Amino acid sequence: MIKKNKATIYDVAEKAGVSRQTVSRVLNNRLEVSEETRQRVKEIMAELNFQPNAVAQSLSRQKSFLFGVVTSGLKYLGPSRVLSGITNKAEELGYGLLLKEVQNSNSANIIPVLDWFKAHQVDGIIWAAPEVEDNRQWIKDVLPMIDIPIIFLTMEEEENVTIVTTDNFTGARVAVNHLIQKGRKNIAHISGPLDWWEARQRKMGWESALTEAGIHVDDRMWTQGNWSSKSGKTAFLELIEKYPEVDGIFAGNDQMALSILQTAPEIGKRIPQDLSIVGFDGIAESEFYIPSLSTVYQNQDELGRIAVTELVSQTEMKLKENKAVEPKYITIQPELIIRQSS
Amino acid sequence: MIKKNKATIYDVAEKAGVSRQTVSRVLNNRLEVSEETRQRVKEIMAELNFQPNAVAQSLSRQKSFLFGVVTSGLKYLGPSRVLSGITNKAEELGYGLLLKEVQNSNSANIIPVLDWFKAHQVDGIIWAAPEVEDNRQWIKDVLPMIDIPIIFLTMEEEENVTIVTTDNFTGARVAVNHLIQKGRKNIAHISGPLDWWEARQRKMGWESALTEAGIHVDDRMWTQGNWSSKSGKTAFLELIEKYPEVDGIFAGNDQMALSILQTAPEIGKRIPQDLSIVGFDGIAESEFYIPSLSTVYQNQDELGRIAVTELVSQTEMKLKENKAVEPKYITIQPELIIRQSS
DNA sequence: GTGAAAGCGCTAACAC
DNA sequence: GTGTTAGCGCTTTCAC
């Protein structure tokens, strides 16, 4: 229960006629307390509405049961789904979360975030901000200097670093192969911003699938958006201009695919007859687009949950055996959902 | 900079040949330190990569510069936009965030969350989980017992409680009046789940506007969804069944509106000729639906930002003058965006 | 201007 | 089983 005037372990000890240590033992469910004493202390605790002070515990234990989470672009669907998975799994496993959102992750604004987490004694860090630009560099620079376990999400494999990510490359290949199977001959791509690793992976998957099918890839066949529907529209119009024979598009995400569905009929292209579309992400709404959108579903909730599970095992490993866990590269396979747009 | 072996205030003091107090003074930018000493201490700090331990500071100061944030349904767009506003403004004002996501907020799982926040010495709490069911009751029960400032989001006005919310009622009225002006005679509503306060407000706004226009409202004229597109489709089909003469729909949110846009043509209703649609929320994608969706835009980012601003002012008020701020009911007006669907 | 002492609330290590 | 003694790292009196 919540109370204004906070009782401390000291008050409980005094009222129960035991030492503070004994109270602490009861608090931590240690065995070496007689059942009788334990009961009495517990009663007094209830009576005084005693609540242990977590800050004092953290300081004393040198362990906070808190993880730091770095996110970015929370106003978009993807990052928040990941965060949702993180919050749920962390709750399950008894950890709290300290949250920071960063705008863009260049080394300059990363250091303060890590320092802040460290000052707050977090037991581990989940880096859930996407890899953009020079991410790689700071990892190499900074990581060796920090002694807190970190898990990275959505990032290229890297030595000595644990990473959890969707397999964007394979996901893209599956999408494009599907279009090929549907008999499409001129399959274009509208990529996300290419300073994002995910965007690059999906583009590479598209290229890979085409090349494998003996189709030559050149720069007429793709344009770049910034994930938003608005940018998708612009990118689509640009694409049509320079690659008019296009009859299939693999879009970097569902939002950009959406604007293709809207714009194509306006310029006389029927979907899927004249133009087949496949998106990426598998957001819930994509089923209700017109026509319903084929897409590559990635389970971002699961991504977050795995990250937490992994982090917990790393922190406990570190605590118990005082040895680091060997880093892992964990990959989740996305899943093609075929609907009317292809 | 991040370093493994953490230097303490004690190490700095020793190396600088001063007392720990003096180091603490430099740390807190107190004036009563000679410029010379200050410089020397600062140099040593840099040299040792000294980073103050925030946990120790919190314990000692009895102030953490941390806010607790309770959210719900993070995997949906609305809550994460609000959270985004919160993170950004908190960062700006120098506060960190402790995040908890709750599934549903009945008294049973609320108390532990509040207790947890309190144990962690948060300076204030933002309750960003929507009002569902018996929310009201626990507020009355629990609030008087807690001495930490709390701001609630999206909730009915309540004595002695500070609340920040979109004016859902007025927003709904504006939407429905727009449909009336467009000459629609049979304006229906697909509501969100009515245990949500927001859903009730929007439904009441719809009723109010119709009643004011002299149109009788009865139960044939509305059905209920659960915010998802899928539920919107079901609710729409049900509505068409019992209210076939419908020629305008105000949907409880954009996702549910989306599935109407998809389903209506399938049953021979053209939009907007036979059926005008207005949604609620104004999500970015709604502009790219087919046809583009008229909607009531609410600025959820701003909602979060205001909540933080308000909370900071309350905590500082409490600290300095030791008197509570008078509670406010802050309302943000949403904005009608007219597009092709109406 | 600077330092010594006490304390924030709790836990770990060692006694008995 | 239980208590004593030291801290965890920092800030806040109150001296000087």
Side-chain angles (χ1 to χ4, degrees):
Chain A
M1 243 334 204
I2 300 110
K3 247 294 170 103
K4 285 198 175 184
N5 37 348
K6 38 202 161 185
T8 74
I9 203 181
Y10 191 89
D11 302 322
V12 176
E14 193 177 37
K15 189 149 188 178
V18 295
S19 73
R20 284 178 291 172
Q21 205 28 242
T22 304
V23 179
S24 171
R25 282 179 184 119
V26 173
L27 211 54
N28 294 283
N29 287 314
R30 297 242 191 279
L31 327 139
E32 338 111 280
V33 185
S34 72
E35 198 48 41
E36 188 194 332
T37 314
R38 185 188 303 278
Q39 282 315 320
R40 186 152 40 90
V41 170
K42 282 195 167 173
E43 277 167 27
I44 306 284
M45 282 179 172
E47 195 176 315
L48 295 179
N49 275 317
F50 169 77
Q51 283 295 125
N53 180 325
V55 175
Q57 286 177 315
S58 296
L59 183 60
S60 184
R61 288 183 179 139
Q62 301 289 80
K63 155 123 187 150
S64 63
F65 288 95
L66 250 29
F67 288 147
V69 176
V70 182
T71 181
S72 189
L74 216 47
K75 60 183 170 188
Y76 301 109
L77 217 41
S80 22
R81 291 199 72 98
V82 172
L83 184 56
S84 177
I86 294 176
T87 61
N88 290 323
K89 193 68 188 180
E91 177 79 34
E92 242 173 63
L93 299 181
Y95 281 79
L97 259 27
L98 229 36
L99 180 68
K100 279 278 175 190
E101 180 171 14
V102 297
Q103 298 311 324
N104 44 45
S105 45
N106 54 54
S107 312
N109 41 26
I110 277 166
I111 306 278
V113 171
L114 292 177
D115 276 340
W116 188 80
F117 281 148
K118 195 165 172 248
H120 281 273
Q121 308 271 82
V122 298
D123 295 338
I125 296 174
I126 296 178
W127 198 271
E131 178 180 339
V132 176
E133 292 173 27
D134 68 343
N135 259 20
R136 320 242 73 205
Q137 197 46 53
W138 73 259
I139 293 181
K140 282 187 185 135
D141 294 348
V142 169
L143 219 57
M145 312 183 63
I146 199 168
D147 55 342
I148 306 173
I150 307 193
I151 308 268
F152 292 87
L153 257 44
T154 313
M155 200 172 280
E156 173 77 28
E157 189 160 8
E158 167 90 32
E159 246 186 312
N160 299 321
V161 182
T162 294
I163 294 172
V164 185
T165 183
T166 296
D167 188 343
N168 289 285
F169 180 79
T170 305
R173 280 178 50 88
V174 169
V176 174
N177 281 330
H178 164 64
L179 288 172
I180 293 173
Q181 280 175 357
K182 285 285 172 183
R184 298 296 143 165
K185 300 299 178 197
N186 304 293
I187 300 171
H189 177 51
I190 293 180
S191 77
L194 288 180
D195 48 350
W196 288 54
W197 176 72
E198 294 166 89
R200 290 196 300 274
Q201 288 292 302
R202 291 173 198 173
K203 176 160 177 281
M204 283 171 54
W206 163 74
E207 286 173 357
S208 155
L210 288 188
T211 305
E212 204 175 278
I215 301 174
H216 176 68
V217 177
D218 73 45
D219 277 352
R220 289 169 55 238
M221 297 164 65
W222 68 278
T223 54
Q224 184 177 170
N226 69 6
W227 301 130
S228 76
S229 295
K230 182 163 279 177
S231 78
K233 179 170 183 172
T234 311
F236 172 61
L237 292 173
E238 193 186 330
L239 181 72
I240 284 287
E241 192 73 29
K242 65 182 190 181
Y243 191 42
E245 66 269 41
V246 57
D247 62 0
I249 300 181
F250 166 53
N253 73 352
D254 290 346
Q255 279 84 355
M256 296 195 297
L258 169 62
S259 55
I260 302 176
L261 301 184
Q262 188 198 52
T263 309
E266 293 174 2
I267 60 172
K269 297 265 187 189
R270 292 164 306 163
I271 296 174
Q273 298 90 331
D274 306 328
L275 193 58
S276 292
I277 311 290
V278 179
F280 203 107
D281 278 351
I283 66 176
E285 287 83 17
S286 62
E287 185 183 345
F288 297 91
Y289 291 169
I290 307 170
S292 62
L293 179 67
S294 296
T295 183
V296 181
Y297 171 75
Q298 61 165 330
N299 191 340
Q300 307 194 92
D301 189 85
E302 187 63 14
L303 218 59
R305 298 179 69 89
I306 291 178
V308 172
T309 308
E310 200 55 36
L311 189 51
V312 169
S313 95
Q314 293 209 3
T315 52
E316 314 221 308
M317 216 44 168
K318 186 188 163 207
L319 209 68
K320 277 176 198 156
E321 325 209 359
N322 199 28
K323 66 171 186 188
V325 181
E326 74 286 17
K328 298 182 194 169
Y329 191 70
I330 302 174
T331 275
I332 301 183
Q333 287 307 321
E335 197 181 319
L336 178 67
I337 302 176
I338 299 172
R339 300 209 186 95
Q340 293 167 9
S341 70
S342 64
Chain B
M1 244 331 204
I2 300 112
K3 248 295 171 102
K4 286 197 173 181
N5 36 350
K6 39 203 161 186
T8 74
I9 203 179
Y10 191 88
D11 303 321
V12 176
E14 194 176 35
K15 188 148 188 180
V18 296
S19 73
R20 287 177 292 176
Q21 286 4 292
T22 305
V23 179
S24 171
R25 282 177 186 121
V26 173
L27 212 54
N28 294 283
N29 286 316
R30 296 242 191 279
L31 326 138
E32 338 110 281
V33 185
S34 72
E35 198 48 42
E36 188 195 331
T37 314
R38 184 188 306 276
Q39 282 315 321
R40 186 151 41 90
V41 170
K42 281 194 166 173
E43 277 166 28
I44 306 283
M45 283 178 171
E47 197 176 315
L48 294 179
N49 275 317
F50 169 77
Q51 282 295 126
N53 180 324
V55 175
Q57 287 177 315
S58 295
L59 181 60
S60 184
R61 289 184 179 137
Q62 302 288 81
K63 154 125 187 150
S64 63
F65 287 97
L66 250 30
F67 288 146
V69 176
V70 182
T71 180
S72 190
L74 216 48
K75 60 183 169 188
Y76 301 109
L77 217 41
S80 22
R81 292 200 70 99
V82 172
L83 184 57
S84 176
I86 294 176
T87 61
N88 289 322
K89 194 68 188 180
E91 177 79 34
E92 242 173 64
L93 299 181
Y95 280 81
L97 259 28
L98 229 36
L99 180 68
K100 279 277 174 190
E101 181 171 13
V102 297
Q103 299 310 326
N104 44 44
S105 45
N106 54 55
S107 312
N109 40 26
I110 276 164
I111 307 277
V113 171
L114 292 177
D115 276 340
W116 188 80
F117 281 148
K118 193 161 174 253
H120 282 273
Q121 309 270 81
V122 298
D123 295 338
I125 295 174
I126 296 178
W127 198 269
E131 179 179 339
V132 176
E133 291 173 28
D134 68 344
N135 261 20
R136 322 243 69 206
Q137 197 46 53
W138 73 259
I139 293 181
K140 282 187 184 133
D141 294 349
V142 168
L143 220 55
M145 312 182 64
I146 198 167
D147 56 343
I148 305 173
I150 307 193
I151 308 271
F152 291 87
L153 257 43
T154 313
M155 200 172 277
E156 173 78 27
E157 188 160 9
E158 167 89 33
E159 245 186 314
N160 299 321
V161 182
T162 294
I163 293 171
V164 185
T165 183
T166 296
D167 188 342
N168 290 286
F169 180 79
T170 304
R173 280 178 49 88
V174 169
V176 174
N177 280 330
H178 164 64
L179 288 172
I180 293 174
Q181 280 174 358
K182 285 285 173 183
R184 298 295 143 166
K185 300 297 178 200
N186 304 294
I187 301 171
H189 177 50
I190 293 181
S191 77
L194 288 180
D195 48 352
W196 289 54
W197 175 72
E198 294 166 88
R200 290 196 299 274
Q201 288 292 302
R202 293 174 196 172
K203 174 159 179 282
M204 282 171 54
W206 163 73
E207 286 174 357
S208 155
L210 288 187
T211 305
E212 204 175 278
I215 301 172
H216 177 69
V217 177
D218 73 47
D219 277 351
R220 290 170 55 239
M221 298 164 65
W222 68 278
T223 54
Q224 183 178 170
N226 70 5
W227 301 128
S228 75
S229 295
K230 183 163 278 176
S231 77
K233 179 170 183 170
T234 311
F236 171 61
L237 292 172
E238 192 186 330
L239 180 71
I240 285 287
E241 192 73 29
K242 66 181 190 182
Y243 192 42
E245 67 268 41
V246 57
D247 60 2
I249 299 180
F250 166 53
N253 72 353
D254 290 345
Q255 279 85 354
M256 295 195 297
L258 170 61
S259 54
I260 302 175
L261 301 184
Q262 189 197 52
T263 309
E266 293 173 3
I267 60 173
K269 295 266 188 190
R270 292 164 306 164
I271 295 174
Q273 297 88 333
D274 305 328
L275 192 58
S276 292
I277 310 291
V278 179
F280 204 108
D281 277 352
I283 66 177
E285 287 82 17
S286 62
E287 185 183 345
F288 297 91
Y289 290 169
I290 307 172
S292 62
L293 179 67
S294 296
T295 183
V296 180
Y297 171 74
Q298 61 165 331
N299 190 340
Q300 306 193 94
D301 188 85
E302 186 63 14
L303 218 61
R305 298 179 69 87
I306 292 178
V308 173
T309 307
E310 200 55 36
L311 189 51
V312 169
S313 95
Q314 292 208 7
T315 51
E316 315 224 307
M317 214 48 167
K318 187 188 163 207
L319 210 66
K320 277 177 197 155
E321 325 210 358
N322 200 27
K323 67 173 186 187
V325 181
E326 75 284 17
K328 298 181 193 169
Y329 191 71
I330 301 174
T331 274
I332 300 184
Q333 287 307 320
E335 197 181 319
L336 178 67
I337 301 176
I338 300 172
R339 300 208 186 95
Q340 293 166 10
S341 71
S342 64

